Amino acid sequence: MPAYDYRCRECDTSFEVRRSMTEPAPDGVLCPSGHAQTSRVFSAVAVGRGASASSSASAAAMAAAPSSGGSCCGGGCCG
């Protein structure tokens, strides 16, 4: 379900409107406070195709690195 981000020009509130895939982007959207002066805001979305060679090599190196023990951070400095 696509989400459309909006910002109110009167109260500077940001909000989101969700519609089904078959509905067009809504026009004339009111902000949660009822103001009609809103504008649609572009929001970028990150899309990936899987792990790259460099990130998988770095993950393998981290998995092979010896741990010095400890609890939450692995270094024993948490208490």
Side-chain angles (χ1 to χ4, degrees):
M1 180 174 291
Y4 300 94
D5 295 325
Y6 286 85
R7 179 174 298 274
C8 179
R9 294 180 184 155
E10 293 183 45
C11 64
D12 202 36
T13 300
S14 295
F15 60 99
E16 184 177 89
V17 176
R18 292 184 178 266
R19 295 285 192 255
S20 72
M21 292 295 288
T22 58
E23 291 181 73
D27 291 326
V29 175
L30 297 177
C31 85
S33 299
H35 302 124
Q37 296 295 320
T38 60
S39 60
R40 194 164 155 196
V41 179
F42 173 77
S43 55
V45 177
V47 177
R49 292 183 16 189
S52 66
S54 63
S55 66
S56 61
S58 133
M62 287 175 54
S67 173
S68 60
S71 56
C72 62
C73 60
C77 60
C78 295

